[in-house]
């Protein structure tokens, strides 16, 4: 069996652009991968066109390690977000092909399950006015939907510092969310790399009474020592990693003991097996894994296979029950979240199939999102 070609399909919504990649073989099997590139979709498509010629066409889809190694290193330049996302799309699609060829779900091919279900947390649910009442009502909908965990960025367009009024407003939103979901639900606080270490430490102290499960990316991601400073001055768990695109670059993070939970994005970090290798390294440092997932059904499926076979897997992020719900019809097959958990996929491969007719109903127009703009959290709601 050999890879004969790639086809790409771009889906635009009000706030995200998703790229679906089909890897076709000369024996008729087709696999699918997915990436979400924030404002760099055309760069991804350009890279994939070159990589198809240079590395992918003619390769055996079973030889995933060799293909990933060639795509990452044979071009000699250092692989960053675009290249690692392109690799992830192709790598994931190859696992899909191998699973279909062998009649097995991907998680069985990666060591088998270590759990029977995967806990989920909701994101994208707070596309409402930044008031305590609005956040309270929106959070209630999440728990009524069955989720036992959710994440929120309450900080508006904050950057490096917040004035006193914005600080108190942000804390009041977290207080409202905690009141809405009760003491048993997990509340994760997203910071989107907004703050200086001093500001992040101060905010962590103010948020501590609301018992967040973690504070996420409190500082910009380029400086791990700044993050270590925050970690040394708060009792709250630290989560980070969605903007680190090579598992090797997590090394300093582990050495500094700057994070308790890492959040690699399987669609931007080289794919399922690359992330599984990273998770194994994290396990040796007693660090948990909670993959970043702002993708649609294909990336969600890939993460469920990773979660099924990864001992230190904590929880899975999920947008698609609250933002762009219709995106799920593009690739049916992902289990629904029931009582806060995904069931394991059981169909061969990833367990999803790309529906090109459903995909054609979406615009291919590129979406833009600036997380430092006013009202970014609305993510196009009502527009």
């Amino acid at each position: 069996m050999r890879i004969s070609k790639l086809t790409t399909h771009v889906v635009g919504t009000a706030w995200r652009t998703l790229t679906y990649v089909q890897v076709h073989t000369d024996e008729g099997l087709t696999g699918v991968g997915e990436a979400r590139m924030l404002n760099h979709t055309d760069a991804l498509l350009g890279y994939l066109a070159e990589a198809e010629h240079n590395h992918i066409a003619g390769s055996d889809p079973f030889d995933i390690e060799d293909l990933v190694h060639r795509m990452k290193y044979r071009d000699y330049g250092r692989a960053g977000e675009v290249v690692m996302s392109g690799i992830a799309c192709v790598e994931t699609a190859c696992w899909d092909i191998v699973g279909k060829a062998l009649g097995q779900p991907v998680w069985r091919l990666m060591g088998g399950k270590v759990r029977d279900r995967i806990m989920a947390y909701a994101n994208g649910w707070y596309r409402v006015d930044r008031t305590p009442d609005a956040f309270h009502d929106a959070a209630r909908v999440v728990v009524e939907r069955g989720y036992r965990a959710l994440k929120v960025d309450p900080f508006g367009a904050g950057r490096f510092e917040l004035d006193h009024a914005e600080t108190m407003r942000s804390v009041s939103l977290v207080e409202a969310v905690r009141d809405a979901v009760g003491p048993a639900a997990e509340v994760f606080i997203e910071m989107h790399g907004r703050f200086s270490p001093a500001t992040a430490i101060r905010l962590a102290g103010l948020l501590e009474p609301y018992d967040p499960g973690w504070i996420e990316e409190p500082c910009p991601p380029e400086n791990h020592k700044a993050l270590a400073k925050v970690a040394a001055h708060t009792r709250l768990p630290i989560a980070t990693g969605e903007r680190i695109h090579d598992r090797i670059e997590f090394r300093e993070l582990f050495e500094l003991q700057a994070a308790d939970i890492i959040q690699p994005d399987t669609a931007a970090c080289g794919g399922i097996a690359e992330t599984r290798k990273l998770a194994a390294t994290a396990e040796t440092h007693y660090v948990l894994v909670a993959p970043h997932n702002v993708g649609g059904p294909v990336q969600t499926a890939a993460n469920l296979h990773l979660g099924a076979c990864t001992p230190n897997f904590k929880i899975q992020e999920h947008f698609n029950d609250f933002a762009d719900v219709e995106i799920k019809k593009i690739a049916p097959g992902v289990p629904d979240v029931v009582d806060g958990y995904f069931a394991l996929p059981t169909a061969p491969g990833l367990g999803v199939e790309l529906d090109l007719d459903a995909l054609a109903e979406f615009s291919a127009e590129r979406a833009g999102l600036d997380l430092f703009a006013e009202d970014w959290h609305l993510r196009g709601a009502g527009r």
Side-chain angles (χ1 to χ4, degrees), residues 131-308:
T131 67
D133 286 346
F135 270 53
H136 187 282
D137 291 346
R140 284 297 308 164
V141 173
V142 177
V143 293
E144 289 167 0
R145 170 70 175 72
Y147 280 84
R148 303 178 187 186
L150 76 175
K151 187 165 75 178
V152 58
D153 179 339
F155 301 109
R159 180 70 169 162
F160 287 115
E161 292 186 311
L162 288 180
D163 63 27
H164 180 74
E166 272 300 307
T167 297
M168 293 301 101
R169 182 184 186 185
S170 299
V171 172
S172 74
L173 298 180
V174 176
E175 180 182 24
V177 171
R178 172 54 76 193
D179 181 71
V181 303
E186 289 268 35
V187 176
F188 303 119
I189 306 299
E190 169 73 86
M191 292 184 167
H192 280 126
R194 298 185 182 283
F195 301 119
S196 69
T199 300
I201 292 165
R202 178 169 178 260
L203 289 169
L206 294 171
L207 294 170
E208 193 168 314
Y210 308 107
D211 194 26
W214 69 55
I215 56 173
E216 178 174 336
E217 217 180 38
C219 303
E222 298 88 356
N223 186 337
H224 294 328
K225 289 183 179 179
L227 185 64
K229 179 179 178 180
V230 178
H233 289 85
T234 178
R235 294 188 295 178
L236 299 179
I238 302 290
T240 194
E242 70 181 68
R243 288 190 277 177
I244 304 175
H245 306 298
D246 188 333
R247 59 186 168 86
I248 298 170
E249 293 179 11
F250 280 84
R251 176 187 55 80
E252 185 183 15
L253 196 68
F254 295 142
E255 290 177 350
L256 292 170
Q257 298 186 17
D260 305 287
I261 303 101
I262 58 167
Q263 300 170 295
D265 188 317
T266 55
C269 199
I272 301 172
E274 283 291 289
T275 309
R276 180 67 187 88
K277 292 176 184 178
L278 171 61
T281 304
E283 188 179 6
T284 68
H285 292 80
Y286 314 123
V287 170
L288 300 178
V289 180
H292 177 253
N293 176 30
V294 74
V298 175
Q299 186 184 355
T300 300
N303 284 330
L304 296 185
H305 288 277
L306 174 72

Side-chain angles (χ1 to χ4, degrees), residues 78 125 357:
R78 185 173 178 179
W125 56 270
D357 291 333

